[in-house]
């Protein structure tokens, strides 16, 4: 049976797949750009917004009428003009009703229409009611006066306006944002009075520059009570280029109960800000904040209270930190990309945008006046015929009574047009009184005066500009208000250094031989008696504070830094440094250092070279560390030694063969990195063979005792005994007494003043 089927492919167009795909995607792109995402310069609305406003006007939902269920409006919009999803349509309607989203809302809603904390928390459309706001009248007032073109709706059963005849530049007043294909738009809202003032300036002086227009438009005016902190020059650059970024910051006051935030940036949630601050408090990154409260209510839409821990807290520094780390300060993109009167999308500077809108407004007013002039002329034409009828009423009545078709006879007898004859035949008997003739003459006189005014205005550019100017100023007076967002150039917000946010508690950092680290509170801890992992033991420790950096030195002369407060507690066995850093293969950690940034340490290798280095020069955030000490081939890094006084300390160096040398530390330079200079001489042959090297180094001051620990024996040296080993830098030193040459470690007995 299938063998008898024949198919005719003659009517099917054959197109290469890449050509079809390209055309289909381009068609879709143009649809998204022109009919969905970008606003028209004329009324500043996207298609869905325009259809919502028009559908509500058709339902009679003016600002003075009784509101209707939002579901009724949405049903009309998607059923007559916008065949898309009802939820998307309702969301667009909600946006136009939220006073915190739209600078000049177009829809007045009753019910739950969302909140600043959660704009998406609005009730379903079956629960809410809505009508248009008084401001929406500026978009619809001239709609039925021949001002715009009309096009068929999606199914061709109705007509809808191609654009609304806006009396104000709504494109700037309410702004808008949208993402199309390959382009987007972000137009901030502005103040009516400022924009109208700039339009008037452009009407009076068409050659005004962007900088001159910025004398009227100071900057965007968002529907919030924050402040724009971008400089005036940055704002002018945005208006010159049509693209850029703005920074907006919350407004706060200092009251007796704490810091009170009274205004948040555009579309910033107060609940979210409190959550961000609370997270920092939980992480102990805000020790200067004691409490947070949200005291917002109907009288105070935004009132967030931050309670400092004490009166000594620097309020300004705290707020600058919060501006840098929370949504209390945000940046907003500006992209003045609109569909122009030529139907093409383009990023426009402020002058071009206003000039094009004034061109649209001029064309709209011209069409309105011409439409009215045509109606006036038509009415005058009819009144002329009616006046003829009243002057010849008896004859006309006779013709009507005697003729079967009186209309042609009347037209021929009195030289009337078809329209005039029809109007005469429509006259009611009650209007045949003498008083009607007087009314006709009076109406004709008024209409002639109006006709003359319309003709003069249409024929004069100056009169047309004056009319547009007058209407703009009247509307600005009707709908205008004061600026909400202040302009104030502020210093850049800076995050407080993490070390300043951490309480300065005494801390001991303990390092094991295998590179495990932990921190204990206080300086009374004995690291030697602590528990270590099996096969591991004590290596080094350092005393400091929890708000300082712990700097670690490895066997290849590289240093690494960690915040002391971030180290695990000494109650456990700590954490491996290899999980925090990326040391080279085979590198071991030999020491830990802590102190103020200008603290000094003596760094050395067992080949007898070393130098003095500042702690701040060794701090690095690089996980691979920072090369500080150059380690000769075959040498090992000795544990770093803290310096109490560069001028008063003496270096005590003991070799593996039992030689000891005491040298002045002041001879050693302060270096940020390098190999250092020789402090103890080891014979080259023994050094190369690995038979002798520097075993221990420490620092002492005059009058302090020195104890050498040699197995179970120990020898304490003080005063003249130590002075015997003082020598020039770079010597081998003197041999220690027999039995005390194999030193395990050295301990220093500091003076009582220490």
């Amino acid at each position: 049976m299938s063998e008898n089927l024949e198919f005719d492919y003659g009517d099917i167009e054959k197109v290469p797949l890449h050509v079809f795909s390209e055309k289909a995607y381009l068609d879709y792109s143009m649809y998204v750009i022109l009919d969905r995402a970008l606003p028209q310069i004329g009324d500043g609305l996207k298609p869905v917004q325009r259809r919502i406003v028009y559908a509500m006007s058709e339902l009679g939902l003016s600002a003075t009428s009784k509101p209707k269920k939002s579901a009724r409006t949405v049903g009309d919009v998607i059923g007559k003009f916008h065949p898309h999803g009802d939820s998307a349509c309702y969301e667009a309607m909600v946006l136009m009703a939220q006073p915190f989203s739209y600078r000049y809302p177009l829809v007045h809603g009753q019910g739950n229409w969302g909140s600043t904390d959660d704009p998406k928390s609005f009730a379903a459309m079956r629960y809410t009611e809505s009508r248009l706001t008084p401001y929406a009248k500026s978009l619809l007032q001239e709609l039925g006066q021949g001002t715009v073109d009309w096009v068929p709706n999606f199914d061709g059963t109705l007509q809808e306006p191609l654009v609304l005849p806006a009396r104000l530049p709504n494109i700037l007043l309410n702004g808008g944002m949208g993402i199309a294909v390959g382009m987007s738009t972000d137009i901030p809202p502005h103040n009516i009075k400022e924009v109208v003032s700039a339009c008037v300036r452009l009407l009076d002086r068409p050659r005004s520059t962007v900088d001159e227009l910025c004398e009227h438009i100071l900057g965007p005016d968002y529907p919030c009570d924050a402040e724009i902190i971008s400089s005036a020059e940055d704002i002018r650059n945005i208006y010159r280029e049509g693209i850029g970024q703005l920074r907006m910051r919350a407004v706060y006051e200092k009251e007796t109960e704490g810091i009170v935030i009274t205004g948040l940036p555009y579309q910033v949630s107060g609940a979210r800000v409190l959550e961000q601050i609370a997270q920092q408090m939980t992480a102990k990154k805000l020790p200067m904040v004691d409490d947070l409260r949200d005291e917002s209510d109907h009288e105070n839409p935004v009132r967030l209270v931050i309670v400092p821990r004490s009166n000594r807290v620097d309020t300004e520094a705290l707020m600058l930190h919060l501006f840098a780390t929370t949504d209390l300060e945000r940046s907003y993109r500006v992209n003045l990309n609109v569909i122009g009167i030529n139907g093409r999308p383009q990023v426009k500077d402020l002058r071009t945008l206003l000039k094009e809108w004034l061109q649209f407004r001029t064309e709209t007013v011209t069409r309105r006046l011409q439409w009215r002039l045509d109606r006036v002329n038509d009415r005058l034409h009819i009144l002329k015929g009616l006046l003829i009828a009243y002057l010849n009423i008896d004859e006309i009545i006779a013709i009507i009574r005697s003729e079967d078709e009186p209309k042609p006879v009347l037209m021929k007898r009195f030289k009337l047009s078809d329209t005039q004859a029809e109007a005469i035949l429509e006259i009611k008997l009650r209007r045949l009184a003498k008083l009607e003739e007087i009314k006709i003459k009076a109406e004709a006189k008024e209409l002639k005066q109006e006709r003359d005014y319309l003709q003069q205005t249409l024929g004069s550019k100056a009169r047309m500009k004056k009319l547009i100017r007058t209407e703009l100023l009247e509307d600005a007076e009707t709908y205008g208000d004061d600026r909400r967002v202040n302009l104030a150039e502020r210093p850049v917000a800076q995050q407080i250094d993490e070390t300043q946010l951490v309480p300065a508690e005494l801390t001991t950092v303990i390092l094991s031989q295998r590179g495990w680290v932990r921190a204990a509170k206080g300086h009374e801890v004995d690291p030697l008696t602590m528990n270590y992992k099996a096969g591991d033991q004590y290596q080094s420790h350092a005393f400091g504070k929890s708000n300082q950096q712990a700097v670690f030195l490895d066997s290849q002369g590289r240093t690494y830094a960690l915040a002391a407060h971030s180290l695990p507690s000494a109650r456990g066995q700590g954490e491996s440094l290899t999980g925090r850093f990326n040391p080279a293969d085979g590198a071991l950690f030999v020491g830990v250092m802590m102190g103020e940034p200008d603290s000094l340490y003596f760094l050395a290798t067992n080949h007898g070279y070393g130098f003095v280095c500042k702690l701040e020069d060794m701090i690095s955030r690089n996980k691979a560390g920072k090369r500080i000490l150059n380690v000769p081939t075959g040498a090992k890094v000795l544990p770093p030694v803290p310096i109490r006084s560069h001028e008063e300390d003496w270096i005590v160096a003991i070799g593996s063969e039992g030689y000891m040398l005491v040298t002045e530390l002041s001879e050693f330079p302060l270096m940020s990195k390098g190999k250092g200079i020789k402090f103890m001489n080891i014979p080259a042959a023994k050094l190369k063979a690995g038979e002798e090297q520097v075993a221990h180094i420490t620092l002492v001051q005059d009058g302090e005792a020195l104890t050498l620990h040699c197995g179970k024996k120990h020898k304490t040296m003080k005063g003249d005994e130590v002075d015997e080993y003082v020598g020039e830098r770079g010597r081998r030193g003197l041999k220690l007494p027999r039995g005390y040459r194999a030193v395990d470690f050295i301990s220093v007995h500091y003076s009582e003043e220490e």
Side-chain angles (χ1 to χ4, degrees):
M1 180 176 177
S2 59
E3 296 177 357
N4 298 327
L5 293 176
E6 294 183 3
F7 297 96
D8 182 10
Y9 297 100
D11 295 334
I12 297 178
E13 180 183 1
K14 295 182 180 180
V15 180
L17 181 60
H18 73 278
V19 175
F20 173 81
S21 302
E22 182 179 356
K23 183 179 183 304
Y25 190 70
L26 284 174
D27 289 345
Y28 167 74
S29 302
M30 291 306 297
Y31 163 74
V32 173
I33 292 169
L34 300 178
D35 292 324
R36 184 186 296 179
L38 300 189
Q40 272 275 359
I41 194 170
D43 56 13
L45 299 176
K46 301 176 188 178
V48 64
Q49 296 169 329
R50 184 180 304 113
R51 287 162 177 165
I52 290 171
V53 172
Y54 174 65
M56 292 182 75
S57 70
E58 288 294 287
L59 285 170
L61 296 175
S62 66
T64 57
S65 66
K66 182 181 178 182
K68 292 183 179 178
K69 286 286 186 183
S70 301
R72 171 72 187 279
T73 300
V74 172
D76 264 34
V77 173
I78 64 177
K80 294 181 178 179
F81 308 111
H82 197 72
H84 296 276
D86 58 345
S87 59
C89 179
Y90 182 50
E91 281 194 29
M93 182 179 175
V94 168
L95 190 69
M96 294 191 292
Q98 291 177 337
F100 49 85
S101 296
Y102 251 50
R103 181 63 178 84
Y104 300 99
L106 298 174
V107 177
H108 175 260
Q110 292 187 3
N112 177 12
W113 289 78
S115 65
T116 52
D117 284 340
D118 187 5
K120 299 282 188 181
S121 63
F122 51 85
M125 56 185 168
R126 61 182 177 273
Y127 299 120
T128 62
E129 296 181 343
S130 56
R131 62 184 176 189
L132 293 171
T133 61
Y135 172 76
K137 185 180 178 182
S138 67
L139 300 175
L140 299 162
Q141 188 173 336
E142 300 173 356
L143 188 58
Q145 300 177 24
T147 49
V148 295
D149 294 328
W150 294 74
V151 294
N153 68 338
F154 65 91
D155 61 1
T157 58
L158 296 169
Q159 295 284 310
E160 62 175 315
L162 193 61
V163 64
L164 297 181
R167 290 170 60 93
L168 290 166
N170 186 62
I171 186 68
L172 278 179
L173 302 184
N174 274 320
M177 63 173 294
I179 301 174
V181 178
M183 63 179 66
S184 64
T185 184
D186 287 279
I187 305 173
H190 292 75
N191 185 270
I192 284 182
K193 292 181 178 179
E194 291 182 7
V195 174
V196 167
S197 180
C199 289
V200 170
R201 170 74 175 260
L202 207 52
L203 283 171
D204 295 340
R205 301 177 187 174
R207 295 186 179 179
S208 297
T209 63
V210 171
D211 288 349
E212 290 172 337
L213 294 176
C214 285
E215 295 174 8
H216 303 271
I217 300 179
L218 305 178
D221 189 24
Y222 291 88
C224 61
D225 297 318
E227 59 184 16
I228 293 174
I229 62 170
S230 299
S231 67
E233 185 59 28
D234 288 343
I235 295 173
R236 291 191 177 190
N237 280 333
I238 291 173
Y239 288 137
R240 291 187 195 112
E241 304 294 332
I243 193 167
Q245 269 197 344
L246 290 169
R247 292 199 71 80
M248 189 175 291
R249 181 178 288 181
V251 175
Y252 69 93
E253 299 172 357
K254 191 173 180 181
E255 299 182 3
T256 54
E257 53 189 302
I259 303 168
V260 179
I261 298 171
T262 57
L264 294 171
Y266 180 55
Q267 291 183 333
V268 168
S269 163
R272 174 60 180 157
V273 168
L274 291 179
E275 181 184 346
Q276 291 173 334
I277 299 175
Q279 286 174 352
Q280 294 190 45
M281 293 174 65
T282 304
K284 297 184 179 179
K285 293 183 178 180
L286 274 181
M288 66 281 289
V289 176
D290 186 54
D291 191 20
L292 295 174
R293 293 197 303 272
D294 187 354
E295 297 181 355
S296 305
D297 52 28
H298 291 291
E299 293 183 5
N300 302 291
V302 177
R303 185 176 171 83
L304 309 179
V305 181
I306 302 172
V307 182
R309 191 169 292 277
S310 71
N311 295 329
R312 296 187 300 275
V313 172
D314 187 341
T315 301
E316 186 174 348
L318 171 59
M319 290 307 297
L320 285 176
H321 172 76
L322 293 178
F323 289 144
T325 57
T326 69
D327 286 343
L328 288 174
E329 180 176 321
R330 283 184 61 180
S331 61
Y332 296 85
R333 203 165 68 96
V334 177
N335 184 15
L336 305 182
N337 187 13
V338 298
I339 299 175
I341 55 178
N342 60 357
R344 296 180 180 179
Q346 184 184 1
V347 177
K348 303 179 187 295
D349 61 81
L350 180 64
R351 182 180 182 277
T352 303
L353 193 147
L354 288 179
K355 205 167 182 65
E356 256 190 64
W357 184 83
L358 286 173
Q359 186 179 341
F360 164 81
R361 182 61 189 157
T362 302
E363 182 182 344
T364 302
V365 174
T366 301
R367 292 180 64 164
R368 186 190 80 201
L369 296 180
Q370 187 61 54
W371 178 85
R372 179 58 186 166
L373 180 60
D374 293 340
R375 297 301 179 276
V376 169
N377 284 331
D378 290 344
R379 182 59 181 169
L380 283 172
H381 181 63
I382 291 173
L383 291 177
K384 184 179 179 182
L386 292 178
L387 196 57
I388 292 172
Y390 280 106
L391 293 175
N392 302 277
I393 191 65
D394 293 333
E395 186 177 353
I396 287 175
I397 291 174
I399 291 173
I400 292 173
R401 293 185 65 185
S402 61
E403 296 291 339
D404 293 334
E405 293 291 337
K407 187 175 178 180
V409 178
L410 291 174
M411 291 172 64
K412 184 177 180 181
R413 168 68 182 82
F414 298 104
K415 297 181 180 179
L416 302 173
S417 67
D418 184 273
T419 305
Q420 289 173 323
E422 190 66 35
I424 290 171
L425 292 173
E426 292 291 335
I427 296 176
K428 295 182 180 180
L429 292 177
R430 73 172 72 178
R431 295 182 58 190
L432 296 178
K434 181 66 177 174
L435 188 61
E436 287 296 325
E437 181 182 344
I438 299 173
K439 288 182 180 180
I440 289 173
K441 289 181 179 180
E443 184 183 353
K445 182 180 179 181
E446 290 179 4
L447 289 176
K448 285 177 182 178
Q449 291 176 349
E450 185 180 357
R451 179 189 62 189
D452 294 342
Y453 165 75
L454 292 171
Q455 289 175 341
Q456 289 172 358
T457 304
L458 287 169
S460 170
K461 289 184 178 180
R463 287 176 178 267
M464 182 66 73
K465 284 185 178 180
K466 184 179 179 182
L467 175 62
I468 295 173
R469 184 180 190 276
T470 302
E471 290 179 349
L472 281 171
L473 292 173
E474 288 176 353
D475 287 344
E477 186 64 30
T478 302
Y479 306 113
D481 56 5
D482 295 331
R483 167 176 275 278
R484 291 189 60 181
V485 173
N486 294 324
L487 299 170
E489 190 171 347
R490 303 288 187 189
V492 177
Q494 292 184 346
Q495 185 173 348
I496 298 177
D497 185 11
E498 189 175 351
T499 58
Q500 298 179 30
L501 297 174
V502 177
E505 299 175 345
L506 296 179
T507 300
T508 303
V509 175
I510 303 105
L511 176 68
S512 75
Q513 288 185 354
R514 291 190 175 181
W516 285 70
V517 66
R518 45 189 157 167
K521 289 184 179 181
H523 288 174
E524 295 77 25
V525 180
D526 185 359
L528 296 172
T529 61
M530 299 184 72
N531 292 325
Y532 294 87
K533 284 181 172 289
D536 199 3
Q537 57 184 333
Y538 166 82
Q539 171 66 34
S540 175
H541 74 279
F543 296 126
K545 296 178 181 179
S546 56
N547 62 344
Q548 294 176 338
Q549 295 280 323
V551 180
F552 302 90
L553 178 67
D554 74 4
S555 58
Q556 296 191 1
R558 304 185 75 88
T559 57
Y560 311 77
L562 283 177
H565 73 271
S566 69
L567 298 176
S569 170
R571 293 173 183 172
Q573 293 181 327
E575 158 185 11
S576 175
L577 286 176
T578 55
R580 299 278 193 108
F581 306 130
N582 297 324
D585 292 340
L588 300 174
F589 291 95
V590 298
V592 58
M593 298 167 277
M594 286 185 73
E596 298 298 329
D598 58 352
S599 298
L600 300 179
Y601 274 83
F602 186 71
L603 306 182
T605 63
N606 65 353
H607 280 198
Y609 289 87
F611 62 91
V612 178
C613 187
K614 274 187 182 181
L615 187 65
E616 63 182 352
D617 292 333
M618 294 185 273
I619 294 176
S620 171
R621 294 186 178 181
N622 190 345
K623 285 191 173 184
K626 180 180 182 181
R627 180 170 291 282
I628 297 293
L629 180 62
N630 292 341
V631 183
T633 304
K636 293 183 179 180
V637 177
L638 296 174
V641 184
I643 297 172
R644 288 173 285 164
S645 172
H646 194 187
E647 302 299 325
E648 298 179 10
D649 282 2
W650 293 74
I651 300 175
V652 178
I654 298 178
S656 58
E657 292 294 315
Y659 288 90
M660 176 170 147
L661 177 67
V662 179
T663 311
E664 288 184 90
L665 180 66
S666 58
E667 295 186 24
F668 288 80
L670 183 65
M671 300 171 60
S672 60
K673 62 180 179 179
K675 179 181 178 181
I677 61 176
K678 182 173 287 190
F679 62 88
M680 188 175 192
N681 183 37
I682 306 294
K686 288 183 172 288
L687 196 64
K688 187 174 182 180
E691 296 175 357
E692 185 178 350
Q693 61 272 328
V694 178
H696 307 283
I697 58 172
T698 189
L699 297 175
V700 297
Q701 293 184 359
D702 290 340
E704 294 178 345
L706 192 70
T707 301
L708 309 180
H709 298 267
C710 310
K712 294 182 179 180
K713 298 188 297 181
H714 66 274
K715 178 178 178 60
T716 299
M717 307 168 68
K718 187 177 180 181
D720 293 340
E721 289 183 88
V722 176
D723 292 343
E724 290 179 11
Y725 295 88
V726 173
E728 294 181 7
R729 179 185 60 80
R731 297 298 179 92
R732 194 178 187 187
L734 299 176
K735 275 262 190 181
L736 289 166
R738 191 178 300 275
Y740 296 100
R741 294 173 182 173
V743 179
D744 294 325
F745 66 94
I746 312 170
S747 62
V748 178
H749 304 281
Y750 298 124
S751 63
E752 293 181 1
E753 295 180 358
E754 295 289 335

